[in-house]
Amino acid sequence: DGDRSGMELFDRALALVGHGRVAARAYTNLGVAWAALGDLGRAIEVSVEGAARAAQDGDLQGAAFLRGNVLGLRFDAGDWEEALQEASSLIGSPGFNRQEYLALTVRATILESRGDLAAAGGDFELALESARESAEAAAVLPAAVGLAGFLRRRGRSNEAAAALEEVVAALDAAESV
């Protein structure tokens, strides 16, 4: 469960940060801290609140980032129906393009688990394309691994190996991930 004694400091910090980008960062940090303590419900609640506040403050980038966190947290919490709806609403939405790979990967994973292999494969491929466009190793790595795993599970080992080669290339090129 972890030591929760510092959580009240995060809550007090929210009252002090005011509005704008600093507020979105504070909500992000608070959500991550709750998730690290294993309280995904509270992490989701704080992240939803932060996304709404960021949007209200006109911080579209902060709102989009927090919505991506909500998506990942809902998926991790096993709330796949909500995660699927959230992923579908985020794909193609303005301001979310830097994290679109995440929404596509989550949706692909859920679709694959439900047996919709054609749609899942398409989303895994689109996730990698989206990640490449971001030019961020932190996006390319999970998208390429997701596609490689999907291909391997379909018995397409040569294609999976090619996707994994992209993982190695991205790691070699990245200064940090």
Side-chain angles (χ1 to χ4, degrees):
D1 268 322
D3 180 5
R4 296 172 181 242
S5 63
M7 297 308 293
E8 67 187 47
L9 296 175
F10 276 115
D11 286 327
R12 286 186 22 216
L14 283 176
L16 299 173
V17 296
H19 298 280
R21 298 190 94 162
V22 175
R25 286 189 196 116
Y27 276 101
T28 297
N29 291 340
L30 182 57
V32 168
W34 280 117
L37 288 171
D39 192 339
L40 296 180
R42 183 73 178 120
I44 291 167
E45 185 180 303
V46 165
S47 299
V48 167
E49 182 182 325
R53 181 168 172 187
Q56 181 182 6
D57 291 348
D59 180 7
L60 299 182
Q61 184 179 2
F65 188 84
L66 280 157
R67 285 187 70 197
N69 285 1
V70 170
L71 169 61
L73 289 164
R74 284 191 170 138
F75 179 81
D76 291 345
D79 190 356
W80 282 19
E81 202 53 49
E82 277 292 318
L84 185 60
Q85 290 174 13
E86 185 79 21
S88 294
S89 76
L90 289 171
I91 294 167
S93 68
F96 194 71
N97 59 336
R98 289 186 66 216
Q99 287 186 291
E100 192 167 57
Y101 77 92
L102 171 64
L104 286 160
T105 299
V106 165
R107 188 169 76 178
T109 302
I110 294 170
L111 291 172
E112 181 185 13
S113 75
R114 293 179 176 179
D116 190 347
L117 302 181
D123 275 358
F124 276 120
E125 289 177 11
L126 287 172
L128 183 53
E129 286 177 29
S130 176
R132 287 177 184 140
E133 289 173 13
S134 78
E136 295 180 22
V140 172
L141 294 173
V145 168
L147 177 59
F150 174 81
L151 293 168
R152 180 69 180 109
R153 289 187 294 277
R154 307 281 76 74
R156 295 162 59 185
S157 297
N158 291 340
E159 293 169 86
L164 290 176
E165 286 177 24
E166 187 165 352
V167 170
V168 172
L171 283 171
D172 287 343
E175 291 181 26
S176 67
V177 178

